[in-house]
Amino acid sequence: MSKGTPYIRDLLHRMTIKTDEQGREVRNSQDQVSWKALRDAERLDDPAVIDTAAQVLEESQDDDTRVNVCFLWSHLAINTGDARAVRLMLGEFEKTNKIQMKSRMMWSFARVPEVPDAAPFLALSESRDGSIRREALRVLARCRPQDAKGRLIEIIRHSNDECDIIYTLWALKHLCLEEALPDVLALVESPNSEIRSLAIRFAAEFGDSAQLSLFVAALENDRSPDVKWSAMEAIDRWGGDSETGTVMRRVKTIVSRQRKGGGQLPISELMHGISFLNRIAPHNDEVIKLLHALRTSKAGRLFEHEAKWLDEKMKD
């Protein structure tokens, strides 16, 4: 159903209200009028609203309206696939010299399917303000790979800022820039465990079995749980018979220790290890014995989602 000018004007107004419908302060942001309006804006899917929002912005020209119209356009770009929305966003982005405004608008650019002009974000990726650089890197992940890759590779080669490198690794992965693999592999020696983990994930995605020695070394020697998780996932993807012993030792180590909580991800390091063993060495006596022990002695060894997953795996 088409949304006319009065609706869009009202929606943009509601997006600025930080109280509830009765004007009362709220503790939970989900009770704010603005939060509910943002959710309404995310569902807009009529291409006609692109022009309607432009008309409303022309009437107002205030900063909040510009930021909120860009938010609308970003979701219209997603929901309709109409590139006009992003082009209009770029036009508004170029109109302002206020860095705070550009910062707020970049959050919307980081959502769209593709940003056709990387130039303003390449420039901001060199800002002296770290938060601005990282927001620009998030947008570069939405630009054309050929436009962004030179700057992204330059960062991982020469930057000393660990946060910039982390954002760049996410951007490289999103853009599927596999030609960056040699430079990314150099980061496996980083003192920052998140960088090491992301580098291994990138190598698993865009490398092959040639990187297995790197994955095995990380699983055996790295002290970071996140790095070990990434390494186990990589071995599950690329490993073979030669890695069975390494994975067996790690699985036994995991289940021998008391584990707290259920983990944040549905697929745990242990599950990747079990997947590997069940796929690569299903007839190995030690593997059969270990998987049986895990299946029959779940208390204190497996979390509920892991136990259910193992049951399904063993039925296959």
Side-chain angles (χ1 to χ4, degrees):
M1 179 178 176
S2 179
K3 305 290 187 182
T5 301
Y7 175 85
I8 297 302
R9 192 181 290 121
D10 177 68
L11 176 61
L12 290 166
H13 172 66
R14 288 187 284 121
M15 288 168 69
T16 67
I17 300 173
K18 304 302 181 184
T19 64
D20 66 11
E21 286 81 355
Q22 286 72 45
R24 298 173 299 201
E25 297 292 329
V26 295
R27 292 184 177 181
N28 190 332
S29 63
Q30 295 185 15
D31 294 325
Q32 292 178 346
V33 173
S34 60
W35 191 92
K36 297 172 184 177
L38 289 168
R39 306 293 76 78
D40 288 343
E42 290 171 351
R43 291 189 286 271
L44 292 171
D45 59 3
D46 180 2
V49 174
I50 296 172
D51 295 323
T52 303
Q55 293 168 9
V56 174
L57 177 57
E58 190 65 29
E59 297 171 3
S60 174
Q61 288 295 313
D62 70 89
D63 288 349
D64 283 339
T65 302
R66 177 171 284 109
V67 169
N68 289 332
V69 165
C70 281
F71 183 88
L72 262 64
W73 279 333
S74 71
H75 287 282
L76 284 162
I78 296 167
N79 298 336
T80 70
D82 194 325
R84 289 183 306 132
V86 183
R87 289 198 296 269
L88 287 166
M89 289 171 68
L90 284 166
E92 293 302 321
F93 191 78
E94 289 299 304
K95 286 180 183 179
T96 181
N97 293 319
K98 299 177 182 177
I99 197 65
Q100 183 181 14
M101 277 285 293
K102 287 185 179 290
S103 175
R104 293 172 66 190
M105 293 168 76
M106 280 193 283
W107 281 96
S108 293
F109 279 103
R111 299 184 182 95
V112 302
E114 183 180 274
V115 177
D117 183 5
F121 310 104
L122 289 169
L124 288 171
S125 75
E126 300 189 43
S127 169
R128 298 177 70 178
D129 184 320
S131 63
I132 296 297
R133 288 199 309 275
R134 287 153 209 154
E135 287 166 12
L137 289 170
R138 290 178 69 235
V139 182
L140 288 176
R142 299 293 180 173
C143 295
R144 299 187 184 103
Q146 64 269 27
D147 295 337
K149 67 179 181 180
R151 174 63 181 145
L152 298 177
I153 292 174
E154 178 188 4
I155 291 171
I156 59 172
R157 284 180 180 174
H158 303 299
S159 177
N160 292 319
D161 188 298
E162 293 178 341
C163 288
D164 286 2
I165 293 172
I166 288 167
Y167 275 74
T168 300
L169 285 169
W170 281 114
L172 288 167
K173 189 171 186 295
H174 181 81
L175 293 171
C176 299
L177 284 167
E178 59 184 271
E179 58 260 53
L181 180 59
D183 293 294
V184 172
L185 288 174
L187 297 175
V188 173
E189 302 298 324
S190 169
N192 183 294
S193 62
E194 186 172 359
I195 290 175
R196 297 198 303 276
S197 179
L198 289 172
I200 289 172
R201 286 179 179 273
F202 190 94
E205 182 75 18
F206 303 108
D208 51 34
S209 58
Q211 281 76 49
L212 267 170
S213 60
L214 180 154
F215 304 147
V216 169
L219 187 65
E220 291 181 333
N221 303 319
D222 203 293
R223 300 184 66 179
S224 165
D226 288 340
V227 174
K228 287 184 179 293
W229 189 320
S230 296
M232 183 71 89
E233 183 178 9
I235 292 171
D236 185 21
R237 180 169 184 169
W238 292 108
D241 291 339
S242 299
E243 288 68 52
T244 300
T246 297
V247 174
M248 278 280 290
R249 288 190 292 274
R250 179 59 184 162
V251 167
K252 288 179 180 179
T253 297
I254 294 171
V255 298
S256 69
R257 296 172 178 170
Q258 185 175 0
R259 303 163 71 212
K260 298 179 181 179
Q264 294 183 349
L265 298 176
I267 302 295
S268 68
E269 180 194 345
L270 177 61
M271 291 162 77
H272 279 298
I274 292 170
S275 170
F276 172 86
L277 294 173
N278 192 56
R279 176 171 52 85
I280 297 298
H283 305 299
N284 180 294
D285 289 341
E286 271 196 89
V287 170
I288 293 170
K289 192 178 301 182
L290 174 61
L291 296 183
H292 179 74
L294 285 174
R295 195 178 184 193
T296 57
S297 305
K298 293 170 185 172
R301 290 175 176 264
L302 299 181
F303 296 128
E304 182 180 351
H305 67 277
E306 292 174 335
K308 182 179 178 181
W309 180 86
L310 177 59
D311 281 342
E312 292 300 317
K313 204 72 177 172
M314 295 291 284
K315 290 176 188 175
D316 293 342

